[in-house]
Amino acid sequence: MSMDIDCLPFKNTGYFSKLICDYLAEKEELASFYNRFPNLAGFQKQIAEKKTSFSVANRKVLQKSLLNQYENYQISKCTQSHINSIVDENAFTVVTGHQLNLFTGPLYFLYKIISTINLCKDLKKAYPEQHFVPIYWMATEDHDFEEINYFNFKGKKIQWNKDASGAVGHLNTEGLEEVLNTYADLLGTSVNATALKELFEAAYIKHDTLTEATRYLANALFGEYGL
């Protein structure tokens, strides 16, 4: 007898606390702790609320900030279109966030962003009169360097050894050549291996700070989807 794991309930996985499982099950006793549940009906009410909450002047501030951040980056037509649309009262951002993990770090860095992009697509289908902009917020002010200074590959921990303090987003990328060399040795010489080496180099060796490097990386991976 086989099990359809695509339909495995969260509570049966053993990975989530009772609190999280109760929230996902929309238990009534938790309803007072959040504004609304993120289903399509909930988003309809969220759209109505947010539409009256942000003036055109505030939207222009956000747009200007994004344009400044991308000033020295090549962006896709889709990303440019999303930035342009932010001043429209029918445009809404869908935001995810994560620390500046080295070369994405854990897989859920990617899952978060992909889920946000897919949610924007689903919302556009449900509410075609609105525009939905997927945004990845970089936690540049996070101070936990030990949490973000490594990634795992082929069972090995590839670590950026550096004396660091303060906000990680301001850290210079000095020392990452060593990480690239270690990573390159493990990757091999396949076409995909070469592409990954080039991506790492373009992001981390050719940019001065971890913020700039992570922005480049996220844009390179997801720019075609308008992130």
Side-chain angles (χ1 to χ4, degrees):
M1 181 178 179
S2 62
M3 178 182 292
D4 184 355
I5 60 172
D6 287 339
C7 298
L8 189 66
F10 284 107
K11 65 180 182 179
N12 291 350
T13 65
Y15 281 100
F16 301 95
S17 67
K18 183 178 184 301
L19 176 64
I20 295 300
C21 290
D22 287 349
Y23 168 72
L24 293 172
E26 300 181 58
K27 291 290 184 69
E28 185 62 33
E29 55 265 36
L30 293 179
S32 63
F33 292 99
Y34 56 90
N35 190 16
R36 53 182 60 95
F37 195 77
N39 52 26
L40 285 179
F43 277 109
Q44 185 175 31
K45 294 177 182 178
Q46 191 78 355
I47 287 168
E49 178 184 311
K50 295 301 180 183
K51 191 170 184 177
T52 62
S53 301
F54 291 90
S55 66
V56 172
N58 286 342
R59 288 173 174 275
K60 287 181 178 179
V61 170
L62 175 58
Q63 183 189 56
K64 182 179 179 181
S65 178
L66 290 171
L67 288 172
N68 287 340
Q69 289 180 15
Y70 276 108
E71 186 175 8
N72 297 316
Y73 297 79
Q74 287 187 334
I75 61 176
S76 68
K77 289 182 179 179
C78 190
T79 296
Q80 184 67 64
S81 176
H82 278 158
I83 294 175
N84 292 343
S85 75
I86 282 176
V87 295
D88 190 325
E89 64 176 6
N90 285 314
F92 301 89
T93 59
V94 181
V95 182
T96 190
H98 197 75
Q99 293 98 323
L100 307 186
N101 287 82
L102 185 61
F103 215 41
T104 80
L107 196 57
Y108 50 78
F109 173 98
L110 302 174
Y111 283 160
K112 283 182 176 182
I113 295 175
I114 292 168
S115 296
T116 301
I117 291 169
N118 287 339
L119 176 56
C120 285
K121 292 178 180 179
D122 290 341
L123 289 171
K124 183 63 177 177
K125 290 178 182 177
Y127 308 108
E129 299 303 313
Q130 320 296 338
H131 309 295
F132 299 97
V133 180
I135 289 184
Y136 160 54
W137 167 69
M138 301 189 295
T140 57
E141 297 304 311
D142 186 90
H143 282 53
D144 195 345
F145 180 67
E146 288 72 24
E147 186 178 10
I148 61 94
N149 70 341
Y150 70 94
F151 60 94
N152 296 306
F153 183 68
K154 291 186 176 180
K156 296 184 180 295
K157 183 177 182 179
I158 301 176
Q159 187 167 323
W160 181 17
N161 296 309
K162 182 183 182 73
D163 291 328
S165 62
V168 297
H170 301 303
L171 293 176
N172 66 57
T173 53
E174 184 181 355
L176 284 173
E177 296 91 345
E178 206 175 303
V179 173
L180 173 58
N181 291 336
T182 301
Y183 183 43
D185 289 341
L186 292 171
L187 275 171
T189 58
S190 69
V191 173
N192 286 337
T194 300
L196 286 171
K197 292 174 195 174
E198 291 174 351
L199 179 59
F200 190 102
E201 182 178 8
Y204 293 99
I205 309 304
K206 297 184 179 180
H207 290 89
D208 294 331
T209 68
L210 191 57
T211 292
E212 294 170 354
T214 307
R215 182 182 295 116
Y216 178 92
L217 180 65
N219 183 58
L221 293 174
F222 299 105
E224 66 179 293
Y225 304 103
L227 182 71

